[in-house]
Amino acid sequence: TYQPGDRVLIDLSQNRFVSDTVYAISDGDGEPQIKRLQKVPFSEPAQVIIISDNTSLQSFTVELDKLTIIGRICGVIARR
């Protein structure tokens, strides 16, 4: 879980979905977001569930080709 003010390290070379993990994503409309992506098994076309750590936000499903993956989150720098 990431907190406001945390800085994340994004591996920009991993800009396609490979496995269920945390990615920086964009829907092309607003600001980029950090979300967990989980593949929907046997979906055709391929779909992923977008999951937020914020419990007040609902998870939702989207076709993978409609989503821009900026990179995979590979670390966080945080003051706690």
Side-chain angles (χ1 to χ4, degrees):
T1 300
Y2 305 99
Q3 302 297 323
D6 287 355
R7 298 191 184 255
V8 294
L9 303 173
I10 303 172
D11 184 345
L12 299 175
S13 71
Q14 295 187 40
N15 59 356
R16 63 183 189 86
F17 183 87
V18 176
S19 64
D20 296 354
T21 192
V22 182
Y23 294 91
I25 63 170
S26 174
D27 65 2
D29 236 4
E31 292 185 21
Q33 301 177 13
I34 297 172
K35 300 292 181 187
R36 297 180 190 282
L37 299 184
Q38 180 181 4
K39 185 176 184 198
V40 176
F42 309 109
S43 58
E44 186 58 42
Q47 296 180 339
V48 291
I49 302 169
I50 299 176
I51 304 165
S52 177
D53 284 352
N54 182 340
T55 56
S56 67
L57 298 176
Q58 289 185 335
S59 298
F60 57 95
T61 302
V62 67
E63 290 181 13
L64 187 56
D65 64 353
K66 302 231 189 262
L67 184 66
T68 300
I69 296 177
I70 298 166
R72 186 181 66 82
I73 305 302
C74 58
V76 61
I77 301 169
R79 288 190 202 176
R80 304 259 197 268

